[in-house]
Amino acid sequence: MKLDLTVAQIMSENLKTLTTKQTLYEAESMFKRYGIRHIPVVDQDKLVGVLSYSDLLKISYADVTEGEEDVESVVYDMFSISQVMAKVLVTVTSETSIREVIKILAKQTFHSLPVVENSGELVGIVTTTDILNYFLEEY
């Protein structure tokens, strides 16, 4: 297994993104439609946060009160993406080693890292799932 390979080898590049002007309804729809758990939030192509599906679950009773759309609607109307997303971001570059990404994720409670270039341009995202898939391919 080559942990010194760069994150560019395993990161997801075909990103779905949100803006702070979109709604939590749109975010939930994207999570379900694309089968993803983390969505970078951008403002004029600048990374400003990451919204995870677990962030939605934290504010929603939808999973507890299955089938009660009204509860979810009230909660989603009370909050904006800006209020729910993670704002203090740890990022990596496409040249960061897989080993370093593992070290970062092992010390944190989040499960994704946005990949940005020196200009701050969002070029990808690497998740714990990407790392696990890499391990599966290697073994």
Side-chain angles (χ1 to χ4, degrees), residues 14 25 98 101 106:
N14 185 16
Y25 297 104
I98 294 171
V101 167

Side-chain angles (χ1 to χ4, degrees), residues 31-103:
F31 284 124
K32 290 178 178 178
R33 183 177 336 126
Y34 299 112
I36 55 179
R37 294 188 306 255
H38 307 90
I39 304 175
V41 181
V42 295
D43 185 10
Q44 297 181 2
D45 296 327
K46 181 183 176 204
L47 180 68
V48 295
V50 173
L51 183 69
S52 71
Y53 190 65
S54 62
D55 293 332
L56 286 186
L57 292 178
K58 287 176 190 174
I59 64 161
S60 173
Y61 302 109
D63 58 329
V64 176
T65 58
E66 189 174 318
E68 292 188 31
E69 297 284 327
D70 294 338
V71 173
E72 186 176 274
S73 296
V74 170
V75 172
Y76 283 3
D77 288 338
M78 290 173 49
F79 295 98
S80 68
I81 286 177
S82 294
Q83 292 172 308
V84 179
M85 71 183 188
K87 296 175 191 84
V88 179
L89 298 176
V90 176
T91 62
V92 295
T93 70
S94 57
E95 296 302 312
T96 304
S97 71
I98 294 171
R99 179 184 310 277
E100 186 61 28
V101 167
I102 292 169
K103 286 180 184 179

